[in-house]
Amino acid sequence: MKICLVATGGTIGSREDTDGVIKFSDAATEQIADIVEADSVFDEFKIHSERMKISDLSKIRKIVERALKTKPDGIIVSHGTDTLAYSSAYLAYAFCNVKIPIVICSADQPLTKRDSNGFDVLRSAKMFLRSGKAGVYVAYKNPDYAPRIHHAARLLPAHLHEYFYNSIGDSVFCDTGLLRGMDFDLQEHKVLCITPYVGMDYSSFDVKGYSAVVQCAYHSGTVNTSDFNEFASRNSNIPIFLTTGKSRYDGQVFVDNVVPCQGITQSALYIKLLVGLKNNVKDLASFALKNACGEIVVQ
């Protein structure tokens, strides 16, 4: 089996120095390659994932494209945990029609730490590659649980102080053709993302220069409707996408430029809108509501 490793840094690709600072390490990349038995390594671009910009996503994509040209049976992408949900959604969209498995791997601690989950993550990813299941996935191991393979565009971001990654629905990856032929060299700052909190002042959000807004709902799929509708009405010239759940609650009725989106994560919706805007999709609302690779959980 021919395996390519695309090493992009992150904690999994780092070592802790004598001062306790985590830094990129060629030795860490070599260790990852050894664990997954990689036949080739692409490691020319490394980044601490919290520093990730939209342009950096394109850099990773282009390296994966180069790796694919070597005709491997599977690809491992090592990545940091902080922006994992965004990069994994982007790669899932960019490689909707991939014919082999691509698995993105992260770790809670460097591999020099005996209790790092990176060892189990990498071994489970290597084992999954043998299945030959086409698509883009994330391998991760939560504390006290067995490693799990997630659909890359259904992954939920981890919370501060935790190293838990969960996803919505089952890992059913399928190419619908929605994104076929599209340009994935995305642009910065086209979509504003808003996370709700008690006492949020919508007047503090300036949408000038933005083409769309993603409003993340609370866990039940609800928001403060009156304040949200007032904000949406003030910005009726742009679509405002709301991540919602399947349950229907009293009072959750929205103005015309609000697009409720069920069964999709905020990060996957955000990246999808960036793709649509880059490719001048005319009906952005209709585009967002269509499945591209199984990222929308049908409820």
Side-chain angles (χ1 to χ4, degrees), residues 96-133:
C96 274
N97 63 345
V98 70
K99 305 303 181 185
I100 62 169
I102 298 175
V103 185
I104 308 164
C105 299
S106 298
D108 58 353
Q109 298 183 74
L111 295 174
T112 46
K113 301 288 187 179
R114 294 179 61 183
D115 54 352
S116 171
N117 65 1
F119 298 102
D120 287 334
V121 167
L122 292 168
R123 292 183 188 116
S124 66
K126 177 186 171 184
M127 185 178 299
F128 182 79
L129 291 185
R130 294 174 185 157
S131 72
K133 193 174 180 181

Side-chain angles (χ1 to χ4, degrees), residues 211-222:
S211 300
V213 173
V214 172
Q215 167 74 63
C216 186
Y218 287 114
H219 80 97
S220 61
T222 60

Side-chain angles (χ1 to χ4, degrees), residues 196-217:
Y197 58 88
V198 174
M200 183 169 65
D201 179 9
Y202 278 101
S203 67
S204 64
F205 297 104
D206 182 2
V207 301
K208 184 178 179 180
Y210 287 92
S211 300
V213 173
V214 172
Q215 167 74 63
C216 186

Side-chain angles (χ1 to χ4, degrees), residues 31-180:
Q31 187 176 10
I32 295 169
D34 182 62
I35 293 171
V36 301
E37 298 183 70
D39 296 274
S40 57
V41 177
F42 297 78
D43 63 347
E44 59 267 42
F45 176 70
K46 293 181 180 179
I47 188 171
H48 292 293
S49 67
E50 73 276 7
R51 301 175 187 175
M52 187 78 68
K53 296 182 179 180
I54 297 297
S55 57
D56 295 321
L57 295 175
S58 294
K59 292 175 184 177
I60 295 175
R61 186 197 82 246
K62 290 175 182 177
I63 297 172
V64 173
E65 287 174 348
R66 285 182 45 226
L68 284 169
K69 288 180 180 178
T70 68
K71 298 182 179 180
D73 299 300
I75 295 177
I76 299 287
V77 179
S78 57
H79 193 284
T81 55
D82 286 322
T83 55
L84 178 60
Y86 294 92
S87 295
S88 63
Y90 172 79
L91 293 175
Y93 291 143
F95 297 103
C96 274
N97 63 345
V98 70
K99 305 303 181 185
I100 62 169
I102 298 175
V103 185
I104 308 164
C105 299
S106 298
D108 58 353
Q109 298 183 74
L111 295 174
T112 46
K113 301 288 187 179
R114 294 179 61 183
D115 54 352
S116 171
N117 65 1
F119 298 102
D120 287 334
V121 167
L122 292 168
R123 292 183 188 116
S124 66
K126 177 186 171 184
M127 185 178 299
F128 182 79
L129 291 185
R130 294 174 185 157
S131 72
K133 193 174 180 181
V136 186
Y137 304 88
V138 172
Y140 198 76
K141 181 187 182 302
N142 288 333
D144 301 320
Y145 286 87
R148 181 181 171 190
I149 303 296
H150 303 266
H151 186 299
R154 292 186 179 182
L155 193 71
L156 295 165
H159 295 293
L160 181 64
H161 310 306
E162 293 183 346
Y163 284 95
F164 282 84
Y165 271 99
N166 294 303
S167 56
I168 57 173
D170 298 322
S171 300
V172 180
F173 197 97
C174 58
D175 175 26
T176 67
L178 180 67
L179 304 182
R180 206 163 295 166

